[in-house]
């Protein structure tokens, strides 16, 4: 038989154990809640960073292209006039270049470079709209020949927009850095597994050391940003000077996720 003094102690053990277990669970729940809050805050920060990067890419793709075409057109038109008209076109060209500089600063704030899909209210760009883009580039002074191989088919919206941006960026660079008389060729190849794009433009031979390099080699984010976009789909993008002159941009985008 148990001593009388031990009976109350034994009776209190379940209550003590229950109290300890409740406190342990409360502490565990608090730690778990703290971790969830940290994860939620981290996810929110990542979402903000990704959105800022997306806005920066779209600003470059849309605004930079349009302003670049305006600057080139103003510069070309300025050589055929004089007097007040020339001064006005010079002002347009200067303002356009200043806008490009401000845009680069803005992009640096929105999405700083590592070393130091359409707007919500506008339709997504599409390879089906290449005709309008080519007409705009040709009107600005760069004749473009387009060739489509394979059977055109509906593409996922992201791949379709990325393909359009690749051609747009390559033609914009060719227009900005090309020489008088330069031409460009665009090839869009629809395959069963891959979408392939190639943009070639003529220009001074690399052996002469003349001509300007495209945006990316001067620290821009156009081609490098597109390379990141293509990589998201498991593809690759190659951009380089052509030995015989001009530049080549070539991309492959898988139509199925790897």
């Amino acid at each position: 038989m148990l001593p009388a003094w031990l009976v109350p102690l034994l009776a209190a053990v379940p209550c003590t154990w229950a109290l300890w277990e409740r406190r342990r669970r409360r502490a565990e729940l608090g730690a778990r809640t703290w971790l969830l809050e940290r994860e939620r805050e981290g996810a929110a920060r990542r979402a903000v960073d990704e959105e800022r990067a997306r806005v920066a890419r779209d600003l470059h793709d849309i605004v930079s292209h349009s302003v670049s075409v305006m600057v080139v057109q103003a510069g070309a038109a300025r050589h055929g006039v004089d007097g007040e008209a020339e001064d006005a076109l010079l002002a347009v060209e200067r303002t356009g270049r200043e806008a490009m500089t401000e845009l680069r600063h803005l992009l640096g704030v929105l999405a700083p470079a590592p070393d130091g899909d359409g707007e919500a209210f506008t339709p997504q760009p599409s390879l089906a709209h290449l005709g309008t883009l080519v007409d705009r580039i040709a009107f600005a002074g760069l004749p473009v020949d387009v060739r489509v191989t394979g059977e055109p088919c509906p593409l996922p919206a992201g791949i379709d927009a990325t393909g359009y941006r690749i051609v747009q960026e390559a033609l914009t660079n060719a227009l900005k850095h090309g020489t008088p008389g330069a031409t460009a060729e665009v090839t869009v190849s629809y395959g069963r597994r891959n979408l392939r794009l190639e943009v070639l433009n003529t220009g001074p031979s690399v052996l002469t050391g003349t001509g300007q390099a495209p945006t990316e080699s001067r620290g821009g984010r156009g081609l490098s940003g597109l390379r990141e976009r293509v990589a998201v789909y498991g593809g690759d993008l190659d951009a380089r000077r052509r030995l015989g002159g001009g530049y080549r941009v070539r991309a492959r985008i898988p139509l199925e996720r790897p």
Side-chain angles (χ1 to χ4, degrees):
M1 189 170 179
L2 295 175
W5 60 269
L6 188 57
V7 174
L9 292 179
L10 292 177
V13 167
C15 296
T16 303
W17 176 263
L19 181 60
W20 178 86
E21 181 66 15
R22 189 180 300 112
R23 289 177 178 175
R24 185 188 66 80
R25 290 182 178 179
R26 186 180 303 164
E28 182 179 326
L29 179 60
R32 195 172 299 173
T33 301
W34 183 85
L35 287 175
L36 288 174
E37 286 295 330
R38 299 291 81 74
E39 290 179 3
R40 189 179 296 111
E41 291 176 2
R45 283 194 298 269
R46 287 192 296 272
V48 170
D49 291 341
E50 290 172 2
E51 181 65 11
R52 286 160 67 100
R54 186 193 69 80
V55 171
R57 286 195 301 268
D58 286 346
L59 274 175
H60 178 277
D61 290 343
I62 297 171
V63 181
S64 175
H65 166 74
S66 300
V67 175
S68 295
V69 172
M70 291 166 54
V71 170
V72 171
Q73 287 179 313
R78 184 165 52 83
H79 296 293
V81 297
D82 53 16
E84 293 184 4
E86 182 180 12
D87 293 339
L89 288 172
L90 181 60
V92 171
E93 186 177 359
R94 185 184 302 114
T95 302
R97 296 189 187 282
E98 291 174 356
M100 291 295 295
T101 300
E102 292 299 323
L103 176 61
R104 281 193 291 271
H105 290 323
L106 176 60
L107 294 181
V109 172
L110 284 174
D115 53 356
D117 306 343
E119 306 300 317
F121 301 102
T122 58
Q124 282 278 5
S126 167
L127 289 172
H129 303 148
L130 273 186
T132 302
L133 172 65
V134 167
D135 289 344
R136 190 184 308 134
I137 294 292
F139 183 76
L142 179 68
V144 182
D145 181 50
V146 179
R147 186 165 65 101
V148 178
T149 64
E151 187 67 27
C153 58
L155 299 171
I159 292 178
D160 201 6
T162 298
Y164 179 92
R165 295 302 191 198
I166 290 170
V167 177
Q168 181 186 55
E169 180 69 20
L171 290 180
T172 300
N173 281 339
L175 179 64
K176 288 195 294 185
H177 308 304
T179 55
T183 60
E185 298 177 9
V186 176
T187 302
V188 181
S189 301
Y190 293 88
R192 289 193 304 173
R193 297 185 177 180
N194 297 292
L195 171 69
R196 297 182 183 273
L197 303 161
E198 184 178 67
V199 182
L200 306 174
N201 67 279
T202 60
S205 171
V206 68
L207 300 177
T208 65
T210 59
Q212 293 182 335
T215 307
E216 182 181 35
S217 62
R218 299 200 314 278
R221 65 183 69 236
L223 291 176
S224 60
L226 288 172
R227 185 174 287 110
E228 294 172 1
R229 280 187 167 189
V230 171
V232 168
Y233 299 103
D236 49 75
L237 183 147
D238 179 70
R240 64 183 64 195
R241 294 282 293 271
R242 301 168 66 193
L243 186 62
Y247 209 75
R248 183 197 76 195
V249 176
R250 183 179 291 169
R252 177 191 62 85
I253 309 176
L255 297 180
E256 295 181 358
R257 286 285 185 174

